[in-house]
Amino acid sequence: LSDFDTADFIAGFIAEAEEHLGAVNANLLSIEGAAHKGEPTPRQVRDLFRSFHTLKGLAAMVGVDPIVDIAHAMETVLREADRAAGRLPTGAVELLLRGTGVVEQGVRALAKKRPVRAAPASLLSALTDLRQTADGTLRPATATSLPAEMWAKLSAAEREQLVRGMEGGRAALLILFRPSPERVAAGVTITSIRERVAAAGEIVKVLPQSIPASENAPGGLAFALIVLSSAEESALVAAAAVEPSDLTPIRLEAPPSGGPLPAEADLGPDDHNLGREGVVRVEVKRLDEALERLSALVVTQFRLVRTLAALREGGADVRALAQVVGENGRQLRDLRGAIMRARMVSVAELLERVPLIVRGASRATGKPARVEMSTGHAELDKAVAERIFPAIVHLIRNAIDHALESADERRAAGKPEVGLVSVACHERSDNQLELIVSDDGRGVDAEAVARRAGTAVPATPEALLELLARPGLSTRAEVTQTSGRGVGMDVVRRITVDELRGELSLATAPGRGTTFTLRIPLSITIVDAFSFACGGETFVVPVSTVEEIREIDVAKVVRGPDRRKTPRGEPDRRRATRTSDMIERRGQAVPLLQLDELLGLPSAEAPLRKAIIVRRNGEPFAFAVDRMLGQQEIVVRPIEDALIQLTGISGTTDLGDGRPTLVLDLAALGDRLASDGTGAAA
Amino acid sequence: VNDLHVLCRVADADYVVAAADVLQMESFAGATKVPGAGAEVAGLVQIRGRVVPVIDLRTVFGLPTITPTIDSRVVVTKRGGRTVGLLVDSAREVIKIPEGDFQPPPSVLTQQTEGIVKAVAQVGTRLLMLVDVGKVVGEERIEERTDGQ
């Protein structure tokens, strides 16, 4: 391999390794959790084994021996555990976590083009010792009433899982699910069934079955779900939406029929593939490039539309051309959607490392904590995901460090000793994602925060959040290892509100806990935007930031005290002081700000007619503008040069005239007015 | 190569910019105003798909601005990862000036321009002033602005 090839290869290795490491950490944590309850975890052990097996192979291909060595040592421990139906020797999880840390360090070193250090000899020998002391004996296999062809398709670990579950008093069931057009129409698919069954029981295996094709099963395909459950059978039937006749209990049968143990060759094709099938890893840079090209096309389309309009005005018959241009526009929108989807990453994947962060913070503080995650299928633009992740980490660390009480305190307060941190998210209808990080800790002590900030006790959650987000404010006197001092909420707010133009809110109850809600756009690269004219210029504003657009009834504008005069010395009737004009909106007085004046642009002769209403920190602001021009999807380019990095301007876009058009962040403008009272832009 | 300079004109004076700092020259037909940016910022222009802030050298030199003409040019400079355009009345030639031909500017000129003219050279009958792009683009000023936000 030439140097270039190797470099390319290593980049691929790093990406692949990171994916495996994410899964490894999640599996190790779930094994650790199950071990506390004395439950075996054959599935996770097997997954771990596969991960390290693959990592070892990949590392050998790029010639990183230290990773090969440590991965091999861990793989060996795990293979034996797999043969022992997922029982890991005592102390194994700790060593495996340390070993995983060594692999992670190695991958990071590779990424920075630094030499990879050899795995500590002490760790390697500890892993070897583990193998020697491990209980490698396997219980005699047991048979069940499961049809032989199905039994044959189960791995030893899965058989063990099934038999152990039944021996432990749980019911084992075989559920046959036949997909049909009716069921699909009702939204019932194998995926939904799988989820619902998993909620009622533990799925050991899903086996696709070929059945005679019929009217109800035109595909000739059914799925056999082998499930362990302690719930009532009827609950399961309902969950799976199948007829009772499709449900067969599985019984234990006496004669042992010892199947072969899983050897390396028994692992299936999965383990020898590099990466998931049908998945291509792409550098974000390349997607950005595709987007750049697309935005150039979009601009060309805008120009086509303009040219077409000019032709039409000149009296030409453009009907045929208009049809083609319209079609082109639709195709561009589809293409844009496709590129946008390619940029999306799953939130579940983004939050994969959260349990590890919770574990780390819990260990560092000595406070027992567990995490509950509910991430669903939401997806986020990669650029947003990368920015929001540090904010989530801050919130989780803060929750454990500041919010959760010590085990003693919790016991005294009658709470469970183990604190709970939960992370949930769901997609909203307005192209926004809601992320909720909450804890069941002591709640934010508003008085303590006020004392520390040297202000009055905040009366509302918004005011409290405002105080918490003051740079440098920390509610803890001592510096802690996990949160540090004074870092946290200001960073979270900067990322959520200032960088992503999202919203951040807080709810807290003394003794019961705190919830932070982050509302962020799914994408900041391609957004739906309103264009409007003001002060002789054209601007755009993302639709997601706009609460409402309404006519201004000039006669109904409420004028606060205004001490300014027109140049002729008369009281200025047309506009009042920036912060004293108000309009009534659903019984609420909303400040009305003249955008042209605010931006230092020439003022129009006639009063501005349209108001764009935005909300910042819960407070509405209305901005008066000349007129609305339209609504379109735009590609936002961030402002790169510090000369024009100004509050209220979030980027530029090209509306087809070949010149940049400013993308305004009206909420930030409103916020600046509220905070410093000056109208001067920057 | 280092001897090459872009010759440009602002009001009645001739200036040169080191060609090493220059990416390209573009005609100028107005820029998108950026409310709140410094007075010297004429606005944003789009050059080959990229958005570039433009500094009007007339404003920098304390001269009245003019309506863009057919001769107006944006000298696109690149320094330290930043791309900034300089708006001049005209820019047509690239000329060779050996380094040895440059003299330190008179101290009064240094004071008046805050060091923006970093050297002068006599070429034929013309006195050419060498513009310090870094100073114009204002690395220090930008830091202040960023801190002040």
PDB file of all heavy atoms in Angstrom, chain A residues 268-299:
ATOM      1  N   GLY A 268     -21.759 -16.759  11.549  1.00  0.00           N
ATOM      2  CA  GLY A 268     -22.582 -16.189  10.487  1.00  0.00           C
ATOM      3  C   GLY A 268     -21.783 -15.189   9.678  1.00  0.00           C
ATOM      4  O   GLY A 268     -20.731 -14.739  10.109  1.00  0.00           O
ATOM      5  N   PRO A 269     -22.315 -14.841   8.531  1.00  0.00           N
ATOM      6  CA  PRO A 269     -21.570 -14.000   7.584  1.00  0.00           C
ATOM      7  C   PRO A 269     -21.316 -12.601   8.129  1.00  0.00           C
ATOM      8  O   PRO A 269     -20.375 -11.945   7.752  1.00  0.00           O
ATOM      9  CB  PRO A 269     -22.491 -13.957   6.354  1.00  0.00           C
ATOM     10  CG  PRO A 269     -23.842 -14.294   6.877  1.00  0.00           C
ATOM     11  CD  PRO A 269     -23.642 -15.182   8.066  1.00  0.00           C
ATOM     12  N   ASP A 270     -22.193 -12.183   9.047  1.00  0.00           N
ATOM     13  CA  ASP A 270     -22.158 -10.841   9.598  1.00  0.00           C
ATOM     14  C   ASP A 270     -20.776 -10.422  10.072  1.00  0.00           C
ATOM     15  O   ASP A 270     -20.354  -9.294   9.868  1.00  0.00           O
ATOM     16  CB  ASP A 270     -23.133 -10.825  10.780  1.00  0.00           C
ATOM     17  CG  ASP A 270     -23.535  -9.426  11.141  1.00  0.00           C
ATOM     18  OD1 ASP A 270     -23.887  -8.690  10.209  1.00  0.00           O
ATOM     19  OD2 ASP A 270     -23.476  -9.102  12.318  1.00  0.00           O
ATOM     20  N   ASP A 271     -20.082 -11.364  10.692  1.00  0.00           N
ATOM     21  CA  ASP A 271     -18.849 -10.993  11.362  1.00  0.00           C
ATOM     22  C   ASP A 271     -17.695 -10.775  10.421  1.00  0.00           C
ATOM     23  O   ASP A 271     -16.681 -10.228  10.798  1.00  0.00           O
ATOM     24  CB  ASP A 271     -18.485 -12.095  12.348  1.00  0.00           C
ATOM     25  CG  ASP A 271     -19.620 -12.310  13.289  1.00  0.00           C
ATOM     26  OD1 ASP A 271     -19.677 -11.591  14.275  1.00  0.00           O
ATOM     27  OD2 ASP A 271     -20.481 -13.159  12.977  1.00  0.00           O
ATOM     28  N   HIS A 272     -17.842 -11.227   9.212  1.00  0.00           N
ATOM     29  CA  HIS A 272     -16.709 -11.083   8.313  1.00  0.00           C
ATOM     30  C   HIS A 272     -16.915  -9.949   7.344  1.00  0.00           C
ATOM     31  O   HIS A 272     -16.054  -9.649   6.540  1.00  0.00           O
ATOM     32  CB  HIS A 272     -16.446 -12.413   7.609  1.00  0.00           C
ATOM     33  CG  HIS A 272     -16.227 -13.512   8.619  1.00  0.00           C
ATOM     34  ND1 HIS A 272     -15.068 -13.594   9.346  1.00  0.00           N
ATOM     35  CD2 HIS A 272     -17.039 -14.490   9.070  1.00  0.00           C
ATOM     36  CE1 HIS A 272     -15.167 -14.607  10.196  1.00  0.00           C
ATOM     37  NE2 HIS A 272     -16.350 -15.164  10.054  1.00  0.00           N
ATOM     38  N   ASN A 273     -18.077  -9.310   7.458  1.00  0.00           N
ATOM     39  CA  ASN A 273     -18.307  -8.129   6.641  1.00  0.00           C
ATOM     40  C   ASN A 273     -17.678  -6.929   7.310  1.00  0.00           C
ATOM     41  O   ASN A 273     -17.681  -6.818   8.520  1.00  0.00           O
ATOM     42  CB  ASN A 273     -19.810  -7.846   6.524  1.00  0.00           C
ATOM     43  CG  ASN A 273     -20.407  -8.668   5.430  1.00  0.00           C
ATOM     44  OD1 ASN A 273     -19.691  -9.219   4.602  1.00  0.00           O
ATOM     45  ND2 ASN A 273     -21.726  -8.747   5.436  1.00  0.00           N
ATOM     46  N   LEU A 274     -17.162  -6.005   6.515  1.00  0.00           N
ATOM     47  CA  LEU A 274     -16.699  -4.758   7.098  1.00  0.00           C
ATOM     48  C   LEU A 274     -17.878  -3.802   7.085  1.00  0.00           C
ATOM     49  O   LEU A 274     -18.302  -3.353   6.035  1.00  0.00           O
ATOM     50  CB  LEU A 274     -15.541  -4.188   6.293  1.00  0.00           C
ATOM     51  CG  LEU A 274     -14.328  -5.117   6.201  1.00  0.00           C
ATOM     52  CD1 LEU A 274     -13.204  -4.430   5.474  1.00  0.00           C
ATOM     53  CD2 LEU A 274     -13.871  -5.534   7.595  1.00  0.00           C
ATOM     54  N   GLY A 275     -18.375  -3.493   8.240  1.00  0.00           N
ATOM     55  CA  GLY A 275     -19.457  -2.530   8.315  1.00  0.00           C
ATOM     56  C   GLY A 275     -20.803  -3.151   8.037  1.00  0.00           C
ATOM     57  O   GLY A 275     -20.906  -4.287   7.630  1.00  0.00           O
ATOM     58  N   ARG A 276     -21.847  -2.366   8.271  1.00  0.00           N
ATOM     59  CA  ARG A 276     -23.195  -2.854   8.049  1.00  0.00           C
ATOM     60  C   ARG A 276     -23.464  -2.940   6.572  1.00  0.00           C
ATOM     61  O   ARG A 276     -22.971  -2.134   5.777  1.00  0.00           O
ATOM     62  CB  ARG A 276     -24.193  -1.908   8.711  1.00  0.00           C
ATOM     63  CG  ARG A 276     -24.317  -2.132  10.200  1.00  0.00           C
ATOM     64  CD  ARG A 276     -25.221  -1.100  10.795  1.00  0.00           C
ATOM     65  NE  ARG A 276     -24.579   0.215  10.757  1.00  0.00           N
ATOM     66  CZ  ARG A 276     -25.230   1.333  10.890  1.00  0.00           C
ATOM     67  NH1 ARG A 276     -26.525   1.319  11.039  1.00  0.00           N
ATOM     68  NH2 ARG A 276     -24.607   2.488  10.869  1.00  0.00           N
ATOM     69  N   GLU A 277     -24.286  -3.904   6.225  1.00  0.00           N
ATOM     70  CA  GLU A 277     -24.560  -4.091   4.812  1.00  0.00           C
ATOM     71  C   GLU A 277     -25.401  -2.935   4.279  1.00  0.00           C
ATOM     72  O   GLU A 277     -26.297  -2.451   4.937  1.00  0.00           O
ATOM     73  CB  GLU A 277     -25.310  -5.408   4.625  1.00  0.00           C
ATOM     74  CG  GLU A 277     -24.942  -6.087   3.338  1.00  0.00           C
ATOM     75  CD  GLU A 277     -25.368  -7.538   3.367  1.00  0.00           C
ATOM     76  OE1 GLU A 277     -25.016  -8.221   4.341  1.00  0.00           O
ATOM     77  OE2 GLU A 277     -26.037  -7.961   2.437  1.00  0.00           O
ATOM     78  N   GLY A 278     -25.102  -2.502   3.070  1.00  0.00           N
ATOM     79  CA  GLY A 278     -25.882  -1.444   2.449  1.00  0.00           C
ATOM     80  C   GLY A 278     -25.669  -0.080   3.060  1.00  0.00           C
ATOM     81  O   GLY A 278     -26.454   0.823   2.846  1.00  0.00           O
ATOM     82  N   VAL A 279     -24.618   0.082   3.841  1.00  0.00           N
ATOM     83  CA  VAL A 279     -24.361   1.376   4.461  1.00  0.00           C
ATOM     84  C   VAL A 279     -23.013   1.894   3.981  1.00  0.00           C
ATOM     85  O   VAL A 279     -22.030   1.177   3.977  1.00  0.00           O
ATOM     86  CB  VAL A 279     -24.344   1.273   6.005  1.00  0.00           C
ATOM     87  CG1 VAL A 279     -23.920   2.588   6.631  1.00  0.00           C
ATOM     88  CG2 VAL A 279     -25.711   0.868   6.511  1.00  0.00           C
ATOM     89  N   VAL A 280     -23.008   3.149   3.548  1.00  0.00           N
ATOM     90  CA  VAL A 280     -21.763   3.775   3.112  1.00  0.00           C
ATOM     91  C   VAL A 280     -21.418   4.871   4.085  1.00  0.00           C
ATOM     92  O   VAL A 280     -22.273   5.658   4.463  1.00  0.00           O
ATOM     93  CB  VAL A 280     -21.936   4.381   1.699  1.00  0.00           C
ATOM     94  CG1 VAL A 280     -20.660   5.074   1.257  1.00  0.00           C
ATOM     95  CG2 VAL A 280     -22.344   3.326   0.706  1.00  0.00           C
ATOM     96  N   ARG A 281     -20.184   4.906   4.505  1.00  0.00           N
ATOM     97  CA  ARG A 281     -19.758   5.990   5.383  1.00  0.00           C
ATOM     98  C   ARG A 281     -19.239   7.128   4.519  1.00  0.00           C
ATOM     99  O   ARG A 281     -18.453   6.913   3.609  1.00  0.00           O
ATOM    100  CB  ARG A 281     -18.634   5.489   6.270  1.00  0.00           C
ATOM    101  CG  ARG A 281     -18.892   5.668   7.722  1.00  0.00           C
ATOM    102  CD  ARG A 281     -17.714   5.167   8.474  1.00  0.00           C
ATOM    103  NE  ARG A 281     -17.667   3.713   8.393  1.00  0.00           N
ATOM    104  CZ  ARG A 281     -18.359   2.933   9.190  1.00  0.00           C
ATOM    105  NH1 ARG A 281     -19.144   3.449  10.098  1.00  0.00           N
ATOM    106  NH2 ARG A 281     -18.267   1.635   9.088  1.00  0.00           N
ATOM    107  N   VAL A 282     -19.703   8.311   4.772  1.00  0.00           N
ATOM    108  CA  VAL A 282     -19.300   9.449   3.946  1.00  0.00           C
ATOM    109  C   VAL A 282     -18.794  10.559   4.839  1.00  0.00           C
ATOM    110  O   VAL A 282     -19.388  10.839   5.879  1.00  0.00           O
ATOM    111  CB  VAL A 282     -20.502   9.981   3.124  1.00  0.00           C
ATOM    112  CG1 VAL A 282     -20.070  11.108   2.224  1.00  0.00           C
ATOM    113  CG2 VAL A 282     -21.117   8.870   2.313  1.00  0.00           C
ATOM    114  N   GLU A 283     -17.709  11.190   4.454  1.00  0.00           N
ATOM    115  CA  GLU A 283     -17.237  12.354   5.193  1.00  0.00           C
ATOM    116  C   GLU A 283     -18.249  13.487   5.026  1.00  0.00           C
ATOM    117  O   GLU A 283     -18.756  13.702   3.925  1.00  0.00           O
ATOM    118  CB  GLU A 283     -15.906  12.820   4.614  1.00  0.00           C
ATOM    119  CG  GLU A 283     -14.700  12.131   5.181  1.00  0.00           C
ATOM    120  CD  GLU A 283     -13.464  12.626   4.461  1.00  0.00           C
ATOM    121  OE1 GLU A 283     -12.991  13.717   4.800  1.00  0.00           O
ATOM    122  OE2 GLU A 283     -13.013  11.934   3.549  1.00  0.00           O
ATOM    123  N   VAL A 284     -18.494  14.228   6.109  1.00  0.00           N
ATOM    124  CA  VAL A 284     -19.459  15.331   6.044  1.00  0.00           C
ATOM    125  C   VAL A 284     -19.041  16.337   4.977  1.00  0.00           C
ATOM    126  O   VAL A 284     -19.872  16.930   4.293  1.00  0.00           O
ATOM    127  CB  VAL A 284     -19.568  16.016   7.419  1.00  0.00           C
ATOM    128  CG1 VAL A 284     -20.544  17.165   7.344  1.00  0.00           C
ATOM    129  CG2 VAL A 284     -20.020  15.015   8.461  1.00  0.00           C
ATOM    130  N   LYS A 285     -17.726  16.505   4.828  1.00  0.00           N
ATOM    131  CA  LYS A 285     -17.191  17.431   3.840  1.00  0.00           C
ATOM    132  C   LYS A 285     -17.756  17.145   2.447  1.00  0.00           C
ATOM    133  O   LYS A 285     -18.068  18.052   1.693  1.00  0.00           O
ATOM    134  CB  LYS A 285     -15.668  17.265   3.829  1.00  0.00           C
ATOM    135  CG  LYS A 285     -14.890  18.507   3.528  1.00  0.00           C
ATOM    136  CD  LYS A 285     -13.409  18.318   3.834  1.00  0.00           C
ATOM    137  CE  LYS A 285     -12.796  17.247   2.950  1.00  0.00           C
ATOM    138  NZ  LYS A 285     -11.424  16.892   3.336  1.00  0.00           N
ATOM    139  N   ARG A 286     -17.877  15.872   2.129  1.00  0.00           N
ATOM    140  CA  ARG A 286     -18.374  15.518   0.797  1.00  0.00           C
ATOM    141  C   ARG A 286     -19.854  15.863   0.666  1.00  0.00           C
ATOM    142  O   ARG A 286     -20.306  16.275  -0.400  1.00  0.00           O
ATOM    143  CB  ARG A 286     -18.171  14.029   0.537  1.00  0.00           C
ATOM    144  CG  ARG A 286     -16.715  13.679   0.462  1.00  0.00           C
ATOM    145  CD  ARG A 286     -16.541  12.284  -0.059  1.00  0.00           C
ATOM    146  NE  ARG A 286     -15.138  11.912   0.006  1.00  0.00           N
ATOM    147  CZ  ARG A 286     -14.672  10.744  -0.396  1.00  0.00           C
ATOM    148  NH1 ARG A 286     -15.499   9.853  -0.901  1.00  0.00           N
ATOM    149  NH2 ARG A 286     -13.395  10.477  -0.305  1.00  0.00           N
ATOM    150  N   LEU A 287     -20.594  15.661   1.750  1.00  0.00           N
ATOM    151  CA  LEU A 287     -22.014  16.033   1.714  1.00  0.00           C
ATOM    152  C   LEU A 287     -22.151  17.539   1.588  1.00  0.00           C
ATOM    153  O   LEU A 287     -23.014  18.038   0.879  1.00  0.00           O
ATOM    154  CB  LEU A 287     -22.710  15.551   2.991  1.00  0.00           C
ATOM    155  CG  LEU A 287     -22.860  14.037   3.126  1.00  0.00           C
ATOM    156  CD1 LEU A 287     -23.430  13.699   4.489  1.00  0.00           C
ATOM    157  CD2 LEU A 287     -23.752  13.496   2.040  1.00  0.00           C
ATOM    158  N   ASP A 288     -21.259  18.260   2.280  1.00  0.00           N
ATOM    159  CA  ASP A 288     -21.288  19.716   2.190  1.00  0.00           C
ATOM    160  C   ASP A 288     -21.040  20.147   0.746  1.00  0.00           C
ATOM    161  O   ASP A 288     -21.649  21.092   0.260  1.00  0.00           O
ATOM    162  CB  ASP A 288     -20.206  20.331   3.097  1.00  0.00           C
ATOM    163  CG  ASP A 288     -20.594  20.257   4.561  1.00  0.00           C
ATOM    164  OD1 ASP A 288     -21.785  20.021   4.825  1.00  0.00           O
ATOM    165  OD2 ASP A 288     -19.722  20.418   5.426  1.00  0.00           O
ATOM    166  N   GLU A 289     -20.135  19.424   0.102  1.00  0.00           N
ATOM    167  CA  GLU A 289     -19.811  19.767  -1.276  1.00  0.00           C
ATOM    168  C   GLU A 289     -21.037  19.555  -2.163  1.00  0.00           C
ATOM    169  O   GLU A 289     -21.369  20.408  -2.998  1.00  0.00           O
ATOM    170  CB  GLU A 289     -18.644  18.908  -1.742  1.00  0.00           C
ATOM    171  CG  GLU A 289     -17.983  19.440  -2.981  1.00  0.00           C
ATOM    172  CD  GLU A 289     -16.985  18.446  -3.542  1.00  0.00           C
ATOM    173  OE1 GLU A 289     -16.302  17.785  -2.735  1.00  0.00           O
ATOM    174  OE2 GLU A 289     -16.927  18.316  -4.767  1.00  0.00           O
ATOM    175  N   ALA A 290     -21.705  18.422  -1.968  1.00  0.00           N
ATOM    176  CA  ALA A 290     -22.909  18.154  -2.764  1.00  0.00           C
ATOM    177  C   ALA A 290     -23.946  19.255  -2.545  1.00  0.00           C
ATOM    178  O   ALA A 290     -24.617  19.703  -3.474  1.00  0.00           O
ATOM    179  CB  ALA A 290     -23.489  16.791  -2.383  1.00  0.00           C
ATOM    180  N   LEU A 291     -24.032  19.704  -1.296  1.00  0.00           N
ATOM    181  CA  LEU A 291     -24.992  20.746  -0.953  1.00  0.00           C
ATOM    182  C   LEU A 291     -24.621  22.070  -1.630  1.00  0.00           C
ATOM    183  O   LEU A 291     -25.481  22.800  -2.115  1.00  0.00           O
ATOM    184  CB  LEU A 291     -24.986  20.905   0.561  1.00  0.00           C
ATOM    185  CG  LEU A 291     -26.164  21.632   1.154  1.00  0.00           C
ATOM    186  CD1 LEU A 291     -27.437  20.884   0.864  1.00  0.00           C
ATOM    187  CD2 LEU A 291     -25.968  21.776   2.650  1.00  0.00           C
ATOM    188  N   GLU A 292     -23.316  22.362  -1.643  1.00  0.00           N
ATOM    189  CA  GLU A 292     -22.821  23.555  -2.334  1.00  0.00           C
ATOM    190  C   GLU A 292     -23.268  23.546  -3.792  1.00  0.00           C
ATOM    191  O   GLU A 292     -23.801  24.528  -4.300  1.00  0.00           O
ATOM    192  CB  GLU A 292     -21.284  23.563  -2.321  1.00  0.00           C
ATOM    193  CG  GLU A 292     -20.661  24.249  -1.126  1.00  0.00           C
ATOM    194  CD  GLU A 292     -21.089  25.691  -1.001  1.00  0.00           C
ATOM    195  OE1 GLU A 292     -20.756  26.490  -1.895  1.00  0.00           O
ATOM    196  OE2 GLU A 292     -21.767  26.012  -0.019  1.00  0.00           O
ATOM    197  N   ARG A 293     -23.041  22.400  -4.443  1.00  0.00           N
ATOM    198  CA  ARG A 293     -23.400  22.276  -5.866  1.00  0.00           C
ATOM    199  C   ARG A 293     -24.901  22.463  -6.019  1.00  0.00           C
ATOM    200  O   ARG A 293     -25.373  23.099  -6.944  1.00  0.00           O
ATOM    201  CB  ARG A 293     -23.030  20.897  -6.400  1.00  0.00           C
ATOM    202  CG  ARG A 293     -21.614  20.511  -6.140  1.00  0.00           C
ATOM    203  CD  ARG A 293     -20.725  20.876  -7.306  1.00  0.00           C
ATOM    204  NE  ARG A 293     -19.357  20.566  -6.990  1.00  0.00           N
ATOM    205  CZ  ARG A 293     -18.349  21.412  -7.133  1.00  0.00           C
ATOM    206  NH1 ARG A 293     -18.563  22.608  -7.614  1.00  0.00           N
ATOM    207  NH2 ARG A 293     -17.145  21.056  -6.813  1.00  0.00           N
ATOM    208  N   LEU A 294     -25.638  21.876  -5.080  1.00  0.00           N
ATOM    209  CA  LEU A 294     -27.085  21.978  -5.164  1.00  0.00           C
ATOM    210  C   LEU A 294     -27.526  23.426  -5.003  1.00  0.00           C
ATOM    211  O   LEU A 294     -28.410  23.892  -5.720  1.00  0.00           O
ATOM    212  CB  LEU A 294     -27.733  21.099  -4.086  1.00  0.00           C
ATOM    213  CG  LEU A 294     -29.238  21.266  -4.006  1.00  0.00           C
ATOM    214  CD1 LEU A 294     -29.906  20.619  -5.197  1.00  0.00           C
ATOM    215  CD2 LEU A 294     -29.781  20.689  -2.728  1.00  0.00           C
ATOM    216  N   SER A 295     -26.893  24.135  -4.076  1.00  0.00           N
ATOM    217  CA  SER A 295     -27.354  25.499  -3.855  1.00  0.00           C
ATOM    218  C   SER A 295     -27.058  26.342  -5.088  1.00  0.00           C
ATOM    219  O   SER A 295     -27.812  27.264  -5.403  1.00  0.00           O
ATOM    220  CB  SER A 295     -26.762  26.106  -2.582  1.00  0.00           C
ATOM    221  OG  SER A 295     -25.379  26.092  -2.639  1.00  0.00           O
ATOM    222  N   ALA A 296     -25.989  26.018  -5.811  1.00  0.00           N
ATOM    223  CA  ALA A 296     -25.728  26.723  -7.061  1.00  0.00           C
ATOM    224  C   ALA A 296     -26.864  26.457  -8.053  1.00  0.00           C
ATOM    225  O   ALA A 296     -27.331  27.359  -8.750  1.00  0.00           O
ATOM    226  CB  ALA A 296     -24.392  26.275  -7.635  1.00  0.00           C
ATOM    227  N   LEU A 297     -27.335  25.210  -8.083  1.00  0.00           N
ATOM    228  CA  LEU A 297     -28.449  24.839  -8.963  1.00  0.00           C
ATOM    229  C   LEU A 297     -29.727  25.584  -8.578  1.00  0.00           C
ATOM    230  O   LEU A 297     -30.487  26.013  -9.439  1.00  0.00           O
ATOM    231  CB  LEU A 297     -28.725  23.341  -8.845  1.00  0.00           C
ATOM    232  CG  LEU A 297     -28.075  22.403  -9.847  1.00  0.00           C
ATOM    233  CD1 LEU A 297     -28.504  20.979  -9.559  1.00  0.00           C
ATOM    234  CD2 LEU A 297     -28.483  22.787 -11.259  1.00  0.00           C
ATOM    235  N   VAL A 298     -29.932  25.682  -7.263  1.00  0.00           N
ATOM    236  CA  VAL A 298     -31.136  26.369  -6.785  1.00  0.00           C
ATOM    237  C   VAL A 298     -31.109  27.826  -7.233  1.00  0.00           C
ATOM    238  O   VAL A 298     -32.121  28.389  -7.658  1.00  0.00           O
ATOM    239  CB  VAL A 298     -31.243  26.257  -5.252  1.00  0.00           C
ATOM    240  CG1 VAL A 298     -32.346  27.161  -4.725  1.00  0.00           C
ATOM    241  CG2 VAL A 298     -31.495  24.821  -4.849  1.00  0.00           C
ATOM    242  N   VAL A 299     -29.921  28.426  -7.162  1.00  0.00           N
ATOM    243  CA  VAL A 299     -29.776  29.808  -7.595  1.00  0.00           C
ATOM    244  C   VAL A 299     -30.075  29.922  -9.090  1.00  0.00           C
ATOM    245  O   VAL A 299     -30.782  30.838  -9.532  1.00  0.00           O
ATOM    246  CB  VAL A 299     -28.357  30.317  -7.266  1.00  0.00           C
ATOM    247  CG1 VAL A 299     -28.106  31.654  -7.936  1.00  0.00           C
ATOM    248  CG2 VAL A 299     -28.187  30.444  -5.762  1.00  0.00           C
TER     249      VAL A 299
END
